[in-house]
Amino acid sequence: MPSIRKYTKDFGYSYSFGVFPTLELLTHRPEHVIKVVISPKGYKNHGIEEIQLLARKNHIEIEKSEGIVEKISGSENTYCFGIFKKFENHIEKNTQHVILVSPSDMGNLGTIMRTSLGFGYKDVVIIKPAADIFDPRTVRASMGSLFTIRFQYFSTFKDYQQQFPEQHLYSFMKDAKVSLEEASFEKPFSLIFGNESSGLSGEFRSVGTSIAIPQTKLVDSLNLSIAVGVGLFEAQRKAL
Amino acid sequence: MPSIRKYTKDFGYSYSFGVFPTLELLTHRPEHVIKVVISPKGYKNHGIEEIQLLARKNHIEIEKSEGIVEKISGSENTYCFGIFKKFENHIEKNTQHVILVSPSDMGNLGTIMRTSLGFGYKDVVIIKPAADIFDPRTVRASMGSLFTIRFQYFSTFKDYQQQFPEQHLYSFMKDAKVSLEEASFEKPFSLIFGNESSGLSGEFRSVGTSIAIPQTKLVDSLNLSIAVGVGLFEAQRKAL
């Protein structure tokens, strides 16, 4: 591989910054790891010891350099990062899907993967255009969940629908037919959420059941990752 | 006031970056606004027109400069910002309180204020040490909710408790007595959440009822703002 540079989207590889995401990478995707870089600052950190053990066990190169870790992560408080090859991934049938239509914020995308996994949703669908799932900011916000979940990009929602016709669809939008408090969910189901600024377009009102999360008029909307968190928790709790 | 510089915590004033937060500032706290700065880039934006109307109505100075907006906000996509004096605020009795013990991330703090307001909680308590509620990053993540909610800092949780002895307390922690699915909430209630990394300390297990949000073992924890979102929604839904 070339010398280590700041990430851009066209790279064939990316970085996992921080101890926890790097541990997740080494645990779940060791075959994709190119190298691990550790700062001497982190030698006393218990997680760093674990990272070194896992890297050795998997015959992964360990480089030691405070300068590179700080330069590439842009943070003085990062002790290590992994370099990993980007990988393909596919979602499964007959499970619950989280569908994000054109998410644009990398922090949200990562947080949503972490939340999905936390509530037992292992399949995340992303409809393009969308934020880069491999951007280090996404990886970090996901706390390494990216390495455990299954994800798949589709060019259009129709493409997804044709491939998974058996899913029950629930579209989350402000101007919806049913309130989340009254909604019921039938498995296997897909929960659909729109873009941070624009939400889901009007045509989704007739895609399955449209659901609104009750909220006061004191805010314009909820943050996307909060809406997803509440929607995922409630759907799982109520599902038939 | 002095020349416009990048924000630091010791300033007596702060900035609201972006159209929506600045509109919220002018609508709810006009008496605290020192000045509004607008970039000519935003002249076609409908919100910018509204900002100019509100500023004129309240006799607030409007400065026009693309350079200052970009320099101070650090973003090319910001059209304006307000400069406002920091203000004191107090929470009310006999309402539902959201209590954050030592939140450290400004994005989370802002998102939690927005979520609180969205779910009808108007009183937010912050136990020190804590992130700066007036930092422009907090203000931005709050989408201006900071200008509508009531908030109050306390040095210790005990100080809060002594002042509001009539509140029913619910402490959210992983190692808790009751699952959120089984919990019930009695008004007036206070929902207590810990720091992003460390959560609530063990002593909170005996502070009111401790509650756990059910989650898989596939993640270490939920993001704080997600846990707060789910907790606030459920408590409001179930409250007696």
Side-chain angles (χ1 to χ4, degrees):
Chain A
M1 67 168 290
S3 67
I4 303 172
R5 288 174 296 139
K6 283 237 174 189
Y7 178 82
T8 63
K9 203 176 171 174
D10 57 310
F11 281 14
Y13 55 92
S14 184
Y15 307 124
S16 65
F17 292 127
V19 172
F20 198 84
T22 304
L23 274 171
E24 291 291 293
L25 168 65
L26 288 165
T27 305
H28 300 290
R29 295 273 173 190
E31 71 278 20
H32 298 301
V33 183
I34 299 167
K35 191 197 265 194
V36 168
V37 186
I38 293 173
S39 162
K41 270 190 183 174
Y43 282 175
K44 284 182 184 158
N45 183 299
H46 178 70
I48 292 284
E49 284 175 35
E50 227 177 307
I51 285 171
Q52 298 196 68
L53 284 173
L54 276 169
R56 280 193 210 107
K57 190 181 135 200
N58 289 288
H59 309 288
I60 293 163
E61 184 190 344
I62 302 172
E63 183 172 337
K64 290 173 185 180
S65 164
E66 189 175 325
I68 294 177
V69 174
E70 280 194 13
K71 187 185 148 203
I72 298 298
S73 72
S75 158
E76 285 177 22
N77 301 316
T78 302
Y79 291 157
C80 72
F81 66 93
I83 309 175
F84 64 93
K85 274 179 240 155
K86 292 182 180 177
F87 49 89
E88 288 263 315
N89 213 323
H90 291 281
I91 57 166
E92 287 191 2
K93 275 190 179 191
N94 287 317
T95 67
Q96 279 45 260
H97 298 171
V98 177
I99 303 183
L100 306 174
V101 179
S102 301
S104 61
D105 181 273
M106 287 168 286
N108 273 340
L109 181 54
T111 301
I112 289 169
M113 287 194 277
R114 178 178 173 192
T115 306
S116 298
L117 203 56
F119 289 147
Y121 296 74
K122 291 194 182 169
D123 295 275
V124 174
V125 169
I126 301 164
I127 310 295
K128 292 182 194 174
D132 177 10
I133 204 167
F134 286 115
D135 189 285
R137 284 168 286 183
T138 314
V139 178
R140 183 150 215 171
S142 89
M143 287 300 272
S145 299
L146 170 67
F147 307 121
T148 308
I149 62 150
R150 297 180 291 260
F151 62 86
Q152 193 167 340
Y153 279 90
F154 289 86
S155 296
T156 68
F157 181 74
K158 279 232 163 78
D159 292 347
Y160 163 80
Q161 222 179 344
Q162 277 165 9
Q163 219 175 306
F164 297 92
E166 66 290 339
Q167 296 290 115
H168 297 99
L169 304 173
Y170 300 91
S171 304
F172 283 75
M173 46 207 303
K174 279 167 82 175
D175 183 17
K177 288 175 198 155
V178 182
S179 154
L180 180 57
E181 290 179 333
E182 286 143 25
S184 58
F185 295 85
E186 198 176 338
K187 289 187 175 178
F189 60 76
S190 302
L191 309 179
I192 313 168
F193 299 89
N195 169 269
E196 284 86 351
S197 317
S198 52
L200 287 174
S201 60
E203 65 206 58
F204 277 91
R205 202 162 305 119
S206 50
V207 170
T209 308
S210 65
I211 294 181
I213 300 176
Q215 54 197 272
T216 65
K217 286 178 180 156
L218 298 170
V219 297
D220 187 46
S221 68
L222 295 170
N223 173 290
L224 173 62
S225 65
I226 301 295
V228 174
V230 171
L232 266 55
F233 180 82
E234 282 293 294
Q236 198 67 284
R237 188 179 71 75
K238 295 171 122 182
L240 304 173
Chain B
M1 67 168 289
S3 67
I4 302 172
R5 289 175 297 138
K6 282 234 176 193
Y7 178 82
T8 62
K9 204 175 170 172
D10 57 308
F11 282 13
Y13 55 90
S14 183
Y15 307 124
S16 65
F17 292 127
V19 172
F20 197 85
T22 303
L23 273 170
E24 291 292 292
L25 168 66
L26 288 166
T27 305
H28 301 289
R29 295 273 174 189
E31 70 278 20
H32 298 301
V33 183
I34 299 168
K35 191 198 267 195
V36 168
V37 187
I38 292 173
S39 163
K41 270 188 180 175
Y43 281 176
K44 283 183 184 157
N45 183 299
H46 178 71
I48 291 285
E49 284 175 36
E50 226 175 306
I51 284 171
Q52 300 196 68
L53 284 174
L54 276 169
R56 278 192 213 108
K57 191 180 135 201
N58 289 288
H59 309 289
I60 293 163
E61 183 189 344
I62 303 172
E63 183 171 338
K64 292 175 183 178
S65 164
E66 189 175 325
I68 293 177
V69 174
E70 279 193 15
K71 185 183 149 205
I72 298 297
S73 72
S75 158
E76 286 178 20
N77 302 316
T78 302
Y79 291 157
C80 71
F81 66 93
I83 308 175
F84 64 93
K85 275 179 242 155
K86 292 182 182 178
F87 49 89
E88 288 262 318
N89 212 322
H90 292 281
I91 58 167
E92 286 191 3
K93 277 190 179 194
N94 287 320
T95 67
Q96 279 44 261
H97 298 171
V98 177
I99 303 184
L100 306 174
V101 180
S102 300
S104 61
D105 182 273
M106 287 167 286
N108 274 338
L109 182 55
T111 301
I112 290 169
M113 287 192 278
R114 178 178 172 192
T115 306
S116 298
L117 203 55
F119 288 147
Y121 297 74
K122 291 195 181 168
D123 294 276
V124 174
V125 170
I126 301 166
I127 311 294
K128 292 182 192 175
D132 176 10
I133 205 166
F134 287 115
D135 188 286
R137 284 168 288 183
T138 313
V139 178
R140 183 151 214 171
S142 89
M143 287 301 275
S145 300
L146 170 68
F147 306 121
T148 309
I149 62 150
R150 298 180 290 259
F151 62 87
Q152 194 167 341
Y153 279 89
F154 289 86
S155 296
T156 68
F157 181 73
K158 279 231 165 78
D159 291 347
Y160 163 79
Q161 222 178 345
Q162 278 165 8
Q163 219 175 305
F164 297 92
E166 65 291 338
Q167 295 289 116
H168 297 99
L169 304 173
Y170 300 91
S171 304
F172 282 76
M173 46 206 304
K174 278 167 83 176
D175 183 16
K177 289 176 198 155
V178 182
S179 154
L180 180 57
E181 290 178 334
E182 286 142 26
S184 58
F185 296 85
E186 199 176 336
K187 288 184 176 177
F189 61 76
S190 302
L191 309 179
I192 311 168
F193 299 88
N195 168 269
E196 284 85 350
S197 318
S198 51
L200 286 176
S201 60
E203 67 207 55
F204 278 91
R205 203 164 302 119
S206 50
V207 170
T209 307
S210 65
I211 295 181
I213 301 176
Q215 53 197 274
T216 66
K217 287 178 179 154
L218 298 169
V219 296
D220 188 47
S221 68
L222 296 169
N223 174 290
L224 173 62
S225 65
I226 301 295
V228 174
V230 170
L232 266 55
F233 180 81
E234 282 293 294
Q236 197 67 287
R237 188 178 70 74
K238 295 170 122 184
L240 304 173

